[in-house]
């Protein structure tokens, strides 16, 4: 009986300590919470992108892994982009889902659809629509980096609404085919890295890796919608967003 009481005491003490440490870590802004590493899925995901046979190219951290590291040393998500709006349609969703990815969210900025996000074996695979102008390419995104969202529900979807959105302007992104990877790749990835990560993009970092000097913030609301694929597609159809 005494041994059971002692065992119960230590279990309770350990649990309290765990809770206290968790609360402290949540309140400490300097602690970096590591997310799960899905780098082991890189070959599968790149093969799927290649099989889609569309001008989809790796972007942001995914492009950085390919160009700088020549390997996926760590991946908590996968980023891809399209410059041609005509490919950003329901056929694209159907084609992507035919490979086992499931639409899990989409994002609106400046009243335009700017991102489709899918889940594949637990990891997010994001597709961004990059606006190509005569001499520049522009990425729009809800301002999740500097503002808190207001949460609500609409049409069976969870909605996170932000009071603003941001844009990053790059030199016009032109593509070339990498026959080694069988993927489309930006001809000048360094110009993307310099705008997104800064001139020290070649130095690996685990935090504070975004260069906000090239961000422009716009006081026009933006939102991300999350939910089941069928409800997301119904919403996109209802409001002619795609």
């Amino acid at each position: 009986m005494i041994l059971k009481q002692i065992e119960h005491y230590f279990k309770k003490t350990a649990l309290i300590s765990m809770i206290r440490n968790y609360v402290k870590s949540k309140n400490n802004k300097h602690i970096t919470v590591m997310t799960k590493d899905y780098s082991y899925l890189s070959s599968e995901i790149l093969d799927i992108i290649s099989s889609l046979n569309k001008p989809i190219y790796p972007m942001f951290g995914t492009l950085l892994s390919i160009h700088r590291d020549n390997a996926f040393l760590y991946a908590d998500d996968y980023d891809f982009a399209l410059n041609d709006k005509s490919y950003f349609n329901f056929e694209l969703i159907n084609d992507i889902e035919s490979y086992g990815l499931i639409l899990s969210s989409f994002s609106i900025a400046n009243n335009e659809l700017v991102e489709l996000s899918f889940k594949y074996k637990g990891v997010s695979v994001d597709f961004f629509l990059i606006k190509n102008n005569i001499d520049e390419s522009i990425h729009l995104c809800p301002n999740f980096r500097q503002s808190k969202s207001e949460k609500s529900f609409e049409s069976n979807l969870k909605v996170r609404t932000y009071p603003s959105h941001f844009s990053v302007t790059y030199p016009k992104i032109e593509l070339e085919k990498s026959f080694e990877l069988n993927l489309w790749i930006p001809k000048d990835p360094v110009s993307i890295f310099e705008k997104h990560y800064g001139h020290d993009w070649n130095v690996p970092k685990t935090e504070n890796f975004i260069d906000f000097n090239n961000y422009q913030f716009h006081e026009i609301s933006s939102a991300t919608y999350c939910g089941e694929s069928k409800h997301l597609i119904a919403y996109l159809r209802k409001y002619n967003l795609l």
Side-chain angles (χ1 to χ4, degrees):
M1 181 70 177
I2 294 174
L3 287 173
K4 284 188 177 179
Q5 287 176 340
I6 292 171
E7 183 183 8
H8 176 72
Y9 170 78
F10 279 108
K11 280 184 178 177
K12 186 177 178 183
T13 305
L15 179 61
I16 292 170
S17 177
M18 241 169 72
I19 293 169
R20 282 177 179 163
N21 288 336
Y22 175 75
V23 171
K24 283 180 185 177
S25 69
K26 289 289 281 183
N27 293 330
N28 189 339
K29 295 180 181 178
H30 299 290
I31 291 178
T32 302
V33 178
M34 294 299 290
T35 52
K36 187 172 179 180
D37 180 15
Y38 292 96
S39 58
Y40 64 92
L41 290 173
S42 59
S43 293
E44 283 184 53
I45 290 171
L46 294 183
D47 283 347
I48 290 170
I49 299 302
S50 174
S51 298
L52 289 169
N53 199 28
K54 299 180 190 298
I56 299 170
Y57 58 95
M59 192 61 169
F60 307 126
T62 302
L63 181 60
L64 191 64
S65 292
I66 291 170
H67 182 82
R68 184 188 67 192
D69 304 326
N70 293 310
F72 284 84
L73 305 177
Y74 175 81
D76 58 358
D77 66 1
Y78 289 88
D79 299 322
F80 298 93
L82 278 157
N83 294 340
D84 189 340
K85 190 174 181 178
S86 67
Y87 284 97
F88 221 59
N89 51 33
F90 290 109
E91 181 183 336
L92 176 68
I93 295 175
N94 291 336
D95 288 349
I96 292 172
E97 290 199 328
S98 72
Y99 287 94
L101 291 81
I102 303 297
L103 182 66
S104 58
S105 69
F106 64 79
S107 293
I108 304 291
N110 198 35
N111 300 313
E112 302 173 56
L113 181 68
V114 295
E115 179 185 354
L116 295 169
S117 185
F118 296 76
K119 287 290 186 183
Y120 181 72
K121 298 184 179 181
V123 69
S124 291
V125 184
D126 305 323
F127 295 81
F128 300 93
L129 180 61
I130 306 292
K131 294 176 67 174
N132 250 8
N133 295 332
I134 293 174
D135 58 357
E136 62 184 15
S137 297
I138 303 172
H139 169 223
L140 302 178
C141 189
N143 188 14
F144 67 92
R145 297 197 183 277
Q146 291 192 342
S147 61
K148 290 184 177 180
S149 64
E150 188 175 296
K151 297 177 182 178
S152 60
F153 291 89
E154 183 182 351
S155 303
N156 296 307
L157 300 175
K158 295 178 182 178
V159 185
R160 297 195 301 271
T161 303
Y162 300 86
S164 61
H165 70 272
F166 66 78
S167 65
V168 181
T169 301
Y170 305 95
K172 187 173 182 178
I173 298 173
E174 296 182 338
L175 306 177
E176 61 186 3
K177 193 67 177 280
S178 166
F179 293 100
E180 180 185 354
L181 297 170
N182 198 26
L183 288 174
W184 289 100
I185 299 287
K187 287 183 178 180
D188 184 13
V190 171
S191 67
I192 296 173
F193 301 147
E194 287 178 345
K195 289 286 189 178
H196 193 69
Y197 301 111
H199 289 282
D200 61 346
W201 62 270
N202 206 31
V203 179
K205 305 179 189 72
T206 57
E207 59 183 11
N208 300 323
F209 49 83
I210 299 296
D211 183 2
F212 287 105
N213 290 323
N214 294 308
Y215 277 54
Q216 290 185 307
F217 296 91
H218 311 272
E219 296 303 315
I220 300 173
S221 65
S222 58
T224 296
Y225 295 74
C226 306
E228 292 183 37
S229 176
K230 63 181 180 181
H231 297 313
L232 291 164
I233 290 172
Y235 192 95
L236 289 168
R237 289 191 186 279
K238 181 178 179 180
Y239 293 100
N240 295 315
L241 293 170
L242 196 59

